[in-house]
Amino acid sequence: MIPLSEQKETIMIYVAVTVVAIAANALVAGATFIRARFISANLGDLDLPEAGIPVFAALQALGAVGLTAGLLGFAAVGIAAAVGLVLFFGVALGAHLKARAYRSAASPALFLALSVAALACAVIR
């Protein structure tokens, strides 16, 4: 059995990583919905159809909502949301690399790393 002090540490790390992931995804989803200049510049490198941009924002926002549900005790929903975000940002990073948009590839790479960390913490918890 894991000592109580280690359980508390694990939970604190899970909460901290997940709160950061929720905040980051919610903020960028909101910025995408309002077509913030830095988002438009990042997505402009990929030659994406305009109609797809709100879908990307909605998927990211739903990921943040799912991570929040995981924090509130719905562990399976939190894990599913983290898996979805890992897939979303894995595809986003691949799209940036395929388009040779290296300048803007750091953003999806950072979010992918954050999503992997949130997933790992949710599974270990």
Side-chain angles (χ1 to χ4, degrees):
M1 185 162 187
I2 300 173
L4 186 58
S5 63
E6 287 183 31
Q7 288 177 358
K8 286 182 180 179
E9 264 183 33
T10 302
I11 290 170
M12 287 174 39
I13 292 169
Y14 163 69
V15 169
V17 168
T18 305
V19 166
V20 169
I22 290 166
N25 280 288
L27 288 171
V28 172
T32 304
F33 274 123
I34 64 169
R35 310 282 171 113
R37 189 173 305 153
F38 73 97
I39 297 290
S40 296
N42 198 355
L43 294 176
D45 293 342
L46 303 179
D47 193 34
L48 296 170
E50 276 295 308
I53 294 173
V55 175
F56 301 143
L59 290 172
Q60 199 169 0
L62 286 172
V65 169
L67 290 177
T68 303
L71 272 182
L72 296 175
F74 300 96
V77 175
I79 291 171
V83 167
L85 287 169
V86 167
L87 294 173
F88 178 83
F89 289 114
V91 170
L93 180 58
H96 279 77
L97 296 177
K98 182 179 179 195
R100 299 180 189 266
Y102 304 121
R103 177 187 63 82
S104 58
S107 177
L110 176 66
F111 275 86
L112 176 60
L114 185 56
S115 299
V116 168
L119 175 60
C121 289
V123 169
I124 290 170
R125 177 182 82 115

